[in-house]
Amino acid sequence: NQTRFTSFQRQLNLYGFMKLSRGQDDGAYYHELFLRGRQFLCKKIFRTKCKGTGIKAANDPDTEPDFFSMPFIDIKNKCRTVDNG
């Protein structure tokens, strides 16, 4: 199970997902183009071709989003607006 989870984490990193390092979502992953109700944005997410050197730059907690401080968006109404026009 550990190797599967490690492999999954590696895939998240290759697709550009970032790991949150503080707050209520500490340890969770996010991507600016992976948003609920906005499936069309996923088409812009690509896997990196090269895994790199294995050295990853440290995340800056000050630039991480705080999802709990953001206002709630009613997705059902937003999707109707996008779908209908």
Side-chain angles (χ1 to χ4, degrees):
N1 286 339
Q2 177 63 28
T3 56
R4 283 192 225 165
F5 185 67
T6 304
S7 178
F8 178 67
Q9 288 177 313
R10 190 176 310 113
Q11 290 298 317
L12 288 173
N13 291 328
L14 289 172
Y15 278 95
F17 282 77
M18 302 292 291
K19 189 173 185 179
L20 296 170
S21 61
R22 70 178 181 186
Q24 294 180 7
D25 284 329
D26 182 23
Y29 285 84
Y30 75 97
H31 193 291
E32 62 185 5
L33 297 175
F34 191 75
L35 301 171
R36 181 182 298 154
R38 307 282 170 85
Q39 293 87 349
F40 60 93
L41 292 175
C42 292
K43 295 177 184 176
K44 297 180 181 183
I45 298 176
F46 293 100
R47 186 177 187 272
T48 57
K49 305 265 186 235
C50 179
K51 291 184 181 179
T53 63
I55 300 170
K56 186 178 174 194
N59 290 347
D60 181 5
D62 293 330
T63 62
E64 295 176 355
D66 180 4
F67 295 109
F68 286 93
S69 68
M70 295 179 181
F72 178 77
I73 298 174
D74 185 359
I75 296 169
K76 293 179 184 177
N77 290 333
K78 291 283 184 183
C79 289
R80 283 190 202 119
T81 303
V82 172
D83 292 342
N84 291 336

